[in-house]
Amino acid sequence: MRSHTLAAVLPGDGVGPEVTRAALSVLDAAESRFGFTTSRTDVPLGADHHLATGELLTDGATAELDRHDAILFGAIGSPKVTPGILERGIILELRRRMQQAINLRPVRLYDGVPTPISGLTPERCDLVVVRENTEGAYVAQGSTVHRGTPARVAVQESVNTWYAVERAVDFAYRLARQRRGRLTLCHKTNVLVEAGALWTDVMTEVGTRYPDVETDYVHVDALCMHLPVSPERFDVVVTDNLFGDIVTDLGAVLQGGLGVAASGNLNLDGAHPSMFEPIHGSAPDIAGRGWANPAGACLSLAMLLGHLGEGEAASAVEAATALVLRGLPALAGEAMGASTQELGERIAAAVADEATPPVPDSLMAQLAAVAAQRAQDGRA
């Protein structure tokens, strides 16, 4: 029987523990059906732990996480803590220490799921954004001079290295090859000339390894215009850290809202664990009410399983989540008609049911194929 050391469970703050519990119920069902096991370790990181101890991401917590294959993450953030402390001290620091080079965010509208975009159909909305995850404006480097005076000046640095950009672009090419064979670079090359030139040159050089992948370029502002109107023009989009953060929230609107959107922070060489999380945040205003949609956490679990090579289980979790979403009267809040945990149990039951219809062209299975190909290349 295959066994994975599923680290953490990092439930975090707000609705994080609720959606994580629901996702773990789904994981139980996937293990039972597909014949693998996971061992799980809770790691206490978040607002309550920080307020009680003063700690953020300690060396001890890092070492504990590093002993595992993957991290299932709930959410971080609390009105009790000044904004930026937890986000920079835990989330960005985790991505840096674990060398999680890629933030991967699917934008897929599932059949029967409502979208605020009039006339949009599932056939037209199935793309993936590959976001460079360690650099750009998120290196968290900057300075302020003349603080407290009218002459105050703030400088915030954005850093782009060939090494980091190449990792993101190469992964994007690999994923495009598994999908429909189209890759779009999104940047702002007419204003961010130096960074844009580096990204463009990397695309050109890496593209020689993937002559079967068609490429194009779109400015980030143009992408924000095209995405709600004609998402079908995109298959895989690769972009820098800040642009990726913004356009994927817009993408989440297309697929039904933040509650159904998933993400993965991928370590590409296996030296450290990858981390998978819903993108909706901690939502402290509804914490404890059972009003959080666990779909984003369950789809993040599906991405985790795909990344670990459990392609069949990943596809089944995606299909089960899509099936349950289709039957909801609303996608968020009390109007969903069931609690967070009840929805998790419904998704788990659909995973266990072999009659649950599969999702065609499952991204989760594609992730498993990319992981297998990278492993094979590493052994060659």
Side-chain angles (χ1 to χ4, degrees), residues 11 30 46 52 55 72 79 111-112 119 125 137 151 153 159 216 228 251 253 290 312 315 325 351 361 379:
E55 296 176 347
L72 184 63
D111 186 41
C125 185
V153 177
V159 175
D216 68 346
V253 173
E312 288 185 315
S315 297
L325 283 174
V351 169
D361 301 318
R379 292 192 296 267

Side-chain angles (χ1 to χ4, degrees), residues 23-222:
L24 291 176
S25 298
V26 175
L27 178 59
D28 290 338
E31 290 183 19
S32 178
R33 177 177 169 187
F34 293 100
F36 65 95
T37 63
T38 60
S39 57
R40 308 167 192 175
T41 304
D42 285 348
V43 178
L45 289 174
D48 289 343
H49 181 76
H50 171 67
L51 291 170
T53 66
E55 296 176 347
L56 293 167
L57 181 62
T58 64
D59 291 342
T62 301
E64 178 63 39
L65 293 170
D66 226 2
R67 287 195 288 269
H68 296 77
D69 298 326
I71 302 167
L72 184 63
F73 181 39
I76 285 287
S78 168
K80 301 175 186 176
V81 180
T82 302
I85 291 177
L86 299 174
E87 293 81 0
R88 290 177 60 172
I90 297 178
I91 299 175
L92 295 186
E93 187 64 13
L94 261 174
R95 293 173 181 174
R96 185 188 67 80
R97 292 192 188 190
M98 300 302 174
Q99 298 176 25
Q100 292 166 348
I102 304 298
N103 182 272
L104 191 68
R105 293 196 181 184
V107 179
R108 182 165 194 172
L109 177 62
Y110 292 110
D111 186 41
V113 176
T115 171
I117 308 300
S118 178
L120 185 61
T121 61
E123 294 76 22
R124 295 177 50 217
C125 185
D126 179 11
L127 62 130
V128 186
V129 178
V130 177
R131 167 189 168 193
E132 196 286 314
N133 204 34
T134 62
E135 294 187 345
Y138 286 27
V139 292
Q141 297 297 312
S143 62
T144 298
V145 296
H146 307 304
R147 193 184 301 273
T149 77
R152 178 177 175 178
V153 177
V155 176
Q156 194 74 50
E157 298 176 10
S158 177
V159 175
N160 299 265
T161 67
W162 187 283
Y163 171 72
V165 173
E166 184 180 28
R167 288 189 299 176
V169 169
D170 182 77
F171 181 89
Y173 269 107
R174 289 173 182 266
L175 184 58
R177 177 179 275 178
Q178 291 293 329
R179 289 172 54 84
R180 301 191 298 276
R182 301 204 313 272
L183 176 60
T184 299
L185 170 61
C186 168
H187 209 276
K188 191 65 176 170
T189 56
N190 59 340
V191 176
L192 305 179
V193 176
E194 300 302 327
L198 188 150
W199 276 84
T200 301
D201 290 347
V202 171
M203 278 284 290
T204 300
E205 179 170 310
V206 175
T208 62
R209 307 173 203 161
Y210 305 94
D212 52 331
V213 175
E214 176 187 349
T215 62
D216 68 346
Y217 171 81
V218 176
H219 286 323
V220 63
D221 47 346

Side-chain angles (χ1 to χ4, degrees), residues 104 171 175 266 302-303 306-307 362-372:
L104 191 68
F171 181 89
L175 184 58
L266 306 186
M303 294 177 70
H307 186 67
S362 168
L363 167 66
M364 313 315 173
Q366 293 160 1
L367 283 177
V370 171

Side-chain angles (χ1 to χ4, degrees), residues 21-23 25-26 294 298 324 339-349:
R21 279 194 299 272
S25 298
V26 175
C298 293
V324 171
S339 70
T340 305
Q341 189 59 35
E342 288 169 341
L343 291 176
E345 291 166 0
R346 290 184 193 177
I347 296 171

